[in-house]
Amino acid sequence: KIAGILLESTSSGKNNVIDWIIIGIGVNVLSFPDKVDFPATSLSTQGLTELTPGDVFEVLATSLAKRIDFWRAEGFKSIIRDWKSVAAGMGQRITVRLQNETIHGIFQDIGQNGELILRLDHGEERRITAGNVFFET
């Protein structure tokens, strides 16, 4: 794991309009924790030693601003289309660690609301809106 994203939001009223959303992004630029439950790395470890946290922030902020403008102009369906075109692990076996359970299955798709669609081993389909995803090798 080189980065993580955390989204917190509330919605109310008709059509589940989002009242507010907070987006947190963490990127291991120069180092990473020693004791974690999953493989971790950093940009520096991967050979990008010239990058500073400020460089990474500038790129992320610029990219996020462009994506928000695109979302406003084109709608969420276009975001999902682009997301699917670069999504790692689609059609492959993954592990998803949820708050109270760990599940395994095939990363089948990304739903119209941005949820991960997982086909469990016994055939059930689960829609995951929050969790840690690990690619099985």
Side-chain angles (χ1 to χ4, degrees):
K1 183 175 181 178
I2 202 164
I5 301 170
L6 176 65
L7 302 172
E8 295 287 337
S9 66
T10 63
S11 60
S12 61
K14 294 181 181 179
N15 301 323
N16 285 329
V17 173
I18 294 175
D19 295 323
W20 57 264
I21 187 167
I22 297 171
I23 303 170
I25 301 172
V27 179
N28 298 335
V29 179
L30 303 174
S31 63
F32 56 91
D34 292 332
K35 296 179 182 179
V36 291
D37 295 338
F38 44 82
T41 190
S42 69
L43 295 173
S44 178
T45 302
Q46 297 301 310
L48 300 170
T49 55
E50 71 284 354
L51 289 176
T52 68
D55 295 334
V56 174
F57 177 77
E58 185 176 330
V59 170
L60 283 173
T62 300
S63 180
L64 182 59
K66 286 179 184 176
R67 275 291 165 189
I68 289 170
D69 289 345
F70 183 69
W71 183 353
R72 286 180 177 147
E74 302 291 330
F76 193 58
K77 288 181 181 182
S78 60
I79 297 290
I80 292 173
R81 181 195 65 234
D82 289 355
W83 188 359
K84 286 181 181 185
S85 74
V86 297
M90 283 188 80
Q92 297 177 11
R93 187 167 177 76
I94 62 172
T95 297
V96 181
R97 189 175 303 156
L98 305 171
Q99 185 173 359
N100 296 317
E101 68 178 316
T102 299
I103 55 178
H104 308 272
I106 302 297
F107 175 10
Q108 186 173 335
D109 204 353
I110 298 170
Q112 65 179 346
N113 295 312
E115 72 276 23
L116 183 148
I117 301 174
L118 185 68
R119 175 73 56 194
L120 302 178
D121 293 337
H122 60 277
E124 178 188 352
E125 181 180 283
R126 288 276 300 265
R127 292 176 178 262
I128 311 296
T129 58
N132 290 310
V133 175
F134 302 92
F135 298 102
E136 298 181 13
T137 54

